[in-house]
Amino acid sequence: MQLTSKLNQTETSTPIRIKALYPLPRRFYAIHAVLLMVFGLLFLWFAREGSLDTMLTGYWFDPLTQRFPWKENRWLDLINHRVLKDMVIATGVTLLIAGLLRRQPRWVLVALLIGLGPLVVGILKATSAHACPWDLVEFGGKAFSYPLLGTPTGDSGPGRCFPGGHASSGFSLMALFFLYWPERRRMAWFCWSGALVLGLVMGYGQMMRGAHFLSHNLWAGWWVWLVQLLTYGCITHLTKTMRKK
């Protein structure tokens, strides 16, 4: 009888704990707004000459053959350009499906943030007149570079190379920060830092192939985090407002 009564109690079933959307304090957004402004100015200053960009990417350029030897490297293309990117996509898709099935709004939003950052970077990249290193004259191409905020010339090449689209895939996992904050803050910052490292690693792999400069990758991370902060802030503010009505 005791066993039957226990089985009939609702406590025997494991409830799904809803990960509700929570608003971040204004102080958090204020701090990150200042940091984004500072790093934005720093990246602008860094890109005004482009000497470090040229040095880091130029290290992988062979002046004798006038090409990037690692451009067609099968392992670099497979591991860095395909496997890592596919793993990021799989993470976002899995989180989205799990969030929909288990009715976890925070999981769904984080999954959407993972896709939104690279989407915005992709749009900026598609409309950019800045050419990739392998298209530039100094690296065996025919295009001429110009300052980041300068006016493109008629010989600026095919463009569509700024910011770094591939690096943005790694940076997109910074959205996992919102999955763990505020319950597990150390885990939140660990995910954010890990995504930062992953984005830089994926971006550096593209630099080895002659596809991007360091500044391209740094701006990709800047845009991804900005978009994720703005989107999360707007959505949580709207949901909070709707609950009060």
Side-chain angles (χ1 to χ4, degrees), residues 35-36 64 83 90 116 129 140 167 174 227 240:
L35 289 175
L36 283 168
L64 295 178
V83 174
L116 185 61
M174 290 191 290
V227 169
K240 181 180 179 180

mmCIF file of all heavy atoms in Angstrom, residues 35-36 64 83 90 116 129 140 167 174 227 240:
data_model
loop_
_atom_site.group_PDB
_atom_site.id
_atom_site.type_symbol
_atom_site.label_atom_id
_atom_site.label_comp_id
_atom_site.label_asym_id
_atom_site.label_seq_id
_atom_site.Cartn_x
_atom_site.Cartn_y
_atom_site.Cartn_z
ATOM 1 N N LEU A 35 33.728 48.996 -22.291
ATOM 2 C CA LEU A 35 34.777 48.099 -22.786
ATOM 3 C C LEU A 35 34.736 47.965 -24.306
ATOM 4 O O LEU A 35 35.779 47.981 -24.969
ATOM 5 C CB LEU A 35 34.625 46.721 -22.135
ATOM 6 C CG LEU A 35 34.977 46.638 -20.645
ATOM 7 C CD1 LEU A 35 34.668 45.244 -20.107
ATOM 8 C CD2 LEU A 35 36.442 46.970 -20.414
ATOM 9 N N LEU A 36 33.536 47.850 -24.860
ATOM 10 C CA LEU A 36 33.409 47.762 -26.313
ATOM 11 C C LEU A 36 33.889 49.044 -26.980
ATOM 12 O O LEU A 36 34.527 49.001 -28.045
ATOM 13 C CB LEU A 36 31.958 47.474 -26.698
ATOM 14 C CG LEU A 36 31.479 46.029 -26.499
ATOM 15 C CD1 LEU A 36 29.963 45.953 -26.644
ATOM 16 C CD2 LEU A 36 32.147 45.094 -27.494
ATOM 17 N N LEU A 64 58.896 33.531 -52.813
ATOM 18 C CA LEU A 64 59.478 32.900 -53.996
ATOM 19 C C LEU A 64 58.402 32.383 -54.943
ATOM 20 O O LEU A 64 58.471 32.578 -56.157
ATOM 21 C CB LEU A 64 60.407 31.749 -53.574
ATOM 22 C CG LEU A 64 61.648 32.157 -52.774
ATOM 23 C CD1 LEU A 64 62.460 30.939 -52.373
ATOM 24 C CD2 LEU A 64 62.506 33.134 -53.565
ATOM 25 N N VAL A 83 35.576 21.028 -39.527
ATOM 26 C CA VAL A 83 35.197 20.298 -38.317
ATOM 27 C C VAL A 83 34.827 21.251 -37.182
ATOM 28 O O VAL A 83 33.767 21.102 -36.560
ATOM 29 C CB VAL A 83 36.327 19.351 -37.880
ATOM 30 C CG1 VAL A 83 35.984 18.705 -36.538
ATOM 31 C CG2 VAL A 83 36.557 18.273 -38.933
ATOM 32 N N ALA A 90 26.570 22.411 -34.686
ATOM 33 C CA ALA A 90 25.894 21.303 -34.005
ATOM 34 C C ALA A 90 25.512 21.694 -32.580
ATOM 35 O O ALA A 90 24.437 21.324 -32.086
ATOM 36 C CB ALA A 90 26.796 20.077 -33.991
ATOM 37 N N LEU A 116 23.007 34.250 -34.507
ATOM 38 C CA LEU A 116 22.813 35.650 -34.892
ATOM 39 C C LEU A 116 24.132 36.390 -35.084
ATOM 40 O O LEU A 116 24.275 37.189 -36.013
ATOM 41 C CB LEU A 116 21.961 36.354 -33.839
ATOM 42 C CG LEU A 116 21.565 37.804 -34.142
ATOM 43 C CD1 LEU A 116 20.744 37.863 -35.429
ATOM 44 C CD2 LEU A 116 20.776 38.395 -32.976
ATOM 45 N N ALA A 129 34.166 46.200 -48.903
ATOM 46 C CA ALA A 129 35.023 46.356 -50.085
ATOM 47 C C ALA A 129 36.467 45.974 -49.792
ATOM 48 O O ALA A 129 37.311 46.017 -50.691
ATOM 49 C CB ALA A 129 34.971 47.795 -50.581
ATOM 50 N N GLY A 140 50.863 38.651 -53.809
ATOM 51 C CA GLY A 140 50.731 37.974 -55.093
ATOM 52 C C GLY A 140 49.429 38.204 -55.821
ATOM 53 O O GLY A 140 49.193 37.617 -56.875
ATOM 54 N N ALA A 167 36.117 33.191 -38.083
ATOM 55 C CA ALA A 167 36.401 33.421 -36.662
ATOM 56 C C ALA A 167 35.118 33.690 -35.879
ATOM 57 O O ALA A 167 35.008 33.319 -34.704
ATOM 58 C CB ALA A 167 37.369 34.586 -36.505
ATOM 59 N N MET A 174 30.327 32.582 -27.321
ATOM 60 C CA MET A 174 30.283 33.476 -26.163
ATOM 61 C C MET A 174 28.859 33.589 -25.636
ATOM 62 O O MET A 174 28.645 33.969 -24.482
ATOM 63 C CB MET A 174 30.833 34.862 -26.533
ATOM 64 C CG MET A 174 32.327 34.899 -26.776
ATOM 65 S SD MET A 174 33.020 36.582 -26.902
ATOM 66 C CE MET A 174 32.323 37.116 -28.476
ATOM 67 N N VAL A 227 26.392 42.340 -30.766
ATOM 68 C CA VAL A 227 25.078 41.871 -31.222
ATOM 69 C C VAL A 227 24.417 41.000 -30.160
ATOM 70 O O VAL A 227 23.209 41.135 -29.885
ATOM 71 C CB VAL A 227 25.225 41.086 -32.549
ATOM 72 C CG1 VAL A 227 23.930 40.368 -32.892
ATOM 73 C CG2 VAL A 227 25.621 42.026 -33.671
ATOM 74 N N LYS A 240 10.294 41.165 -19.595
ATOM 75 C CA LYS A 240 10.050 41.708 -18.255
ATOM 76 C C LYS A 240 8.894 42.691 -18.291
ATOM 77 O O LYS A 240 8.040 42.699 -17.384
ATOM 78 C CB LYS A 240 11.319 42.391 -17.742
ATOM 79 C CG LYS A 240 11.180 42.967 -16.339
ATOM 80 C CD LYS A 240 12.467 43.637 -15.898
ATOM 81 C CE LYS A 240 12.314 44.240 -14.503
ATOM 82 N NZ LYS A 240 13.574 44.911 -14.059
#
